[in-house]
Amino acid sequence: MDSPSTTAVDGTGRAQRRLMAAGLIGSSIEWYDFFLYGTAAALVFPHVFFPHSSALMGTLLSFATFWAGFVARPIGGVVAGHYGDKYGRKPAVVVCLIAMGTATFLIGLLPSAAMIGGLAPVLLVLLRFVQGMAAGGQWGGIVLLLVESADPKRKGFAGTFGQMGVPFGVILGNVVFLAATAALSTEAFLSWGWRVPFLASAVLFPVVLYIQTKVEDTPDFKALQAEVSQKAAGAGSVAKAPLAEVIRHHWRKILLGCGLLAATNSVFYISIAGVLSYATNELGMGYDGLLAMALLSSIVGAGVILWSGAKSDQVGRRPLVIIGAIGLIVWAFPYFWLVDTASLPMFLVAVTVAAVFQSMTYGPLAAFMSEIFAPRIRYSGLSLAYQLAAITVSGGTPLIMTAIVASTGSTTLVAVFVVAMSVITLGCALALRETNPASVRTDPTAVPGLEAVA
């Protein structure tokens, strides 16, 4: 019998609702910490850590430090995936959340370049690297705590409570930044006000304590442990070297899973960092208004993520991903045409429509990517796929956009880049087998994903 001090994650009832709430809150604060850096990199860090550079070079250097977090994410995914497949999903999640909260808090305490010179950006990059490792490990763990503990017919819906942490993280970051800029003068904000959002990350630690003391590991992982304890052999037991196994035997699924994220990641990071910098520096728009528009589009995106994940339990995972990718292909050029009008209402239309298609693609991916891999290598496999997309697409997108605009004076090639990323996602979705086909959806005893990992 379960201890009254722990949450039994059996996929139903109050326990599952508590787990989904904990996953949503923990993921939201974790991504708040990670994305907060992107907003600061566009608006603050060029002035604080690169004050002697030109406006363009300061922005490029700031986004280069932003990219450092994405370089670190695959490392965090590899390490957390390895230990998460061997020792449990929960311990890996707890360590990652602690690392993220600590690194973000310390960024808020960093001296500026005016105080300690070149050491300031070095320390900034180091802490950003720790942020990246933590983000790289936490996504797979939180997603698996949710999906592996859910009712088999509601895995897509349950997974969205980890996915919605992304737009909610952006919303939290934007609200805090808007409040700080509204309450302070520009001089005060650049001097010390920007630190407050980073120091606020301390609220993550009660969530860590809750997960550590109140949440059990997933039924899927417990089943693997039980097989080992009974000296069971075969494909079901805990993998001795999950990382090596998934790379050696499932590299194609890793690459296809990475490609599933190309469209959603590129558009998302353009909207929260690249276009924010472009609109303020090149179009002369005020960043308070831009942050407000980004906040509204993120609210819409969160709703679409919830809807698309739940819908994937009814119609399959692939249709939502395919429709979202096609939508981004069609919207890529109108997106930048509207942004280039330098009109806030047009900017809102651009980023909100993009958020709809991007979120439609992103919502089902927690369940879809989990179901692609067998439980014994699942944490390693989906973390590698997700974080490979982070280093190849996500982190470099704002830098690529800034460099393209600087060299061409136009956003046309940025739109071409978005189309290319969306075509990659479309191709990968078509190449992968549906993990929740009609035969599974209509069979009350069937579990999604079994055909895909067979």
Side-chain angles (χ1 to χ4, degrees):
M1 181 177 294
D2 296 314
S3 165
S5 64
T6 59
T7 296
V9 284
D10 59 1
T12 60
R14 184 182 178 188
Q16 180 65 15
R17 290 194 295 272
R18 290 170 64 186
L19 175 59
M20 288 191 295
L24 176 61
I25 294 169
S27 178
S28 297
I29 299 174
E30 175 94 351
W31 287 119
Y32 159 83
D33 288 352
F34 193 75
F35 295 139
L36 188 66
Y37 192 103
T39 303
L43 305 178
V44 177
F45 289 167
H47 306 282
V48 176
F49 294 103
F50 307 101
H52 303 301
S53 302
S54 66
L56 173 60
M57 185 55 64
T59 301
L60 288 172
L61 289 172
S62 186
F63 279 148
T65 67
F66 180 69
W67 201 348
F70 293 89
V71 173
R73 277 173 57 172
I75 300 173
V78 165
V79 174
H82 175 79
Y83 286 100
D85 279 330
K86 292 193 69 173
Y87 303 112
R89 314 327 189 184
K90 187 181 84 170
V93 169
V94 168
V95 171
C96 290
L97 291 176
I98 291 173
M100 175 63 84
T102 302
T104 307
F105 188 83
L106 290 176
I107 288 175
L109 298 177
L110 269 184
S112 67
M115 296 177 65
I116 60 173
L119 183 60
V122 171
L123 292 175
L124 180 66
V125 171
L126 177 62
L127 291 174
R128 179 59 176 172
F129 199 84
V130 174
Q131 275 194 325
M133 289 191 65
Q138 70 83 21
W139 180 81
I142 286 181
V143 159
L144 291 185
L145 281 176
L146 292 165
V147 172
E148 289 186 340
S149 302
D151 181 282
K153 302 305 181 186
R154 291 171 61 84
K155 289 182 179 292
F157 173 74
T160 64
F161 284 81
Q163 302 293 76
M164 284 190 294
V166 172
F168 282 143
V170 175
I171 291 168
L172 287 172
N174 285 354
V175 166
V176 173
F177 255 92
L178 282 169
T181 56
L184 300 171
S185 66
T186 301
E187 293 75 15
F189 178 72
L190 293 178
S191 175
W192 61 269
W194 67 269
R195 299 178 183 276
V196 175
F198 287 88
L199 298 176
S201 65
V203 300
L204 181 61
F205 289 101
V207 181
V208 174
L209 182 63
Y210 177 85
I211 293 175
Q212 174 64 25
T213 59
K214 300 294 185 180
V215 174
E216 294 184 357
D217 224 313
T218 71
D220 282 11
F221 185 78
K222 287 182 179 179
L224 297 179
Q225 286 183 309
E227 291 184 27
V228 171
S229 66
Q230 297 167 6
K231 301 185 184 298
S237 59
V238 174
K240 293 182 178 179
L243 177 62
E245 180 177 333
V246 75
I247 292 175
R248 183 181 303 115
H249 300 296
H250 303 281
W251 59 268
R252 182 175 177 272
K253 289 181 179 179
I254 292 172
L255 293 179
L256 290 173
C258 171
L260 288 177
L261 289 151
T264 183
N265 284 14
S266 61
V267 172
F268 178 75
Y269 285 100
I270 283 173
S271 294
I272 70 162
V275 80
L276 190 67
S277 175
Y278 170 71
T280 54
N281 294 330
E282 302 294 331
L283 302 180
M285 299 175 70
Y287 58 74
D288 283 358
L290 293 171
L291 287 179
M293 298 305 101
L295 186 152
L296 292 174
S297 70
S298 294
I299 293 173
V300 173
V304 176
I305 286 173
L306 182 65
W307 171 82
S308 64
K311 195 67 176 178
S312 75
D313 289 326
Q314 302 171 4
V315 303
R317 319 297 185 205
R318 291 168 75 239
L320 280 305
V321 177
I322 290 170
I323 293 171
I326 293 173
L328 290 176
I329 292 171
V330 173
W331 189 245
F333 283 93
Y335 176 98
F336 289 102
W337 293 338
L338 292 173
V339 168
D340 284 335
T341 64
S343 162
L344 271 181
M346 294 300 99
F347 182 92
L348 177 61
V349 172
V351 296
T352 301
V353 173
V356 169
F357 292 126
Q358 173 255 320
S359 300
M360 189 182 299
T361 299
Y362 191 63
L365 290 186
F368 194 12
M369 293 176 67
S370 298
E371 292 160 354
I372 290 171
F373 299 97
R376 58 187 271 110
I377 54 162
R378 182 169 286 159
Y379 201 150
S380 296
L382 69 89
S383 291
L384 273 174
Y386 194 93
Q387 304 313 331
L388 184 59
I391 193 173
T392 56
V393 179
S394 305
T397 292
L399 183 63
I400 290 169
M401 177 177 171
T402 302
I404 288 175
V405 172
S407 62
T408 66
S410 168
T411 56
T412 300
L413 289 182
V414 185
V416 172
F417 171 75
V418 170
V419 170
M421 295 298 101
S422 302
V423 168
I424 289 172
T425 290
L426 178 60
C428 291
L430 293 172
L432 282 164
R433 184 185 302 180
E434 173 61 65
T435 60
N436 189 26
S439 59
V440 171
R441 299 195 300 271
T442 56
D443 183 349
T445 64
V447 177
L450 291 182
E451 292 183 7
V453 302

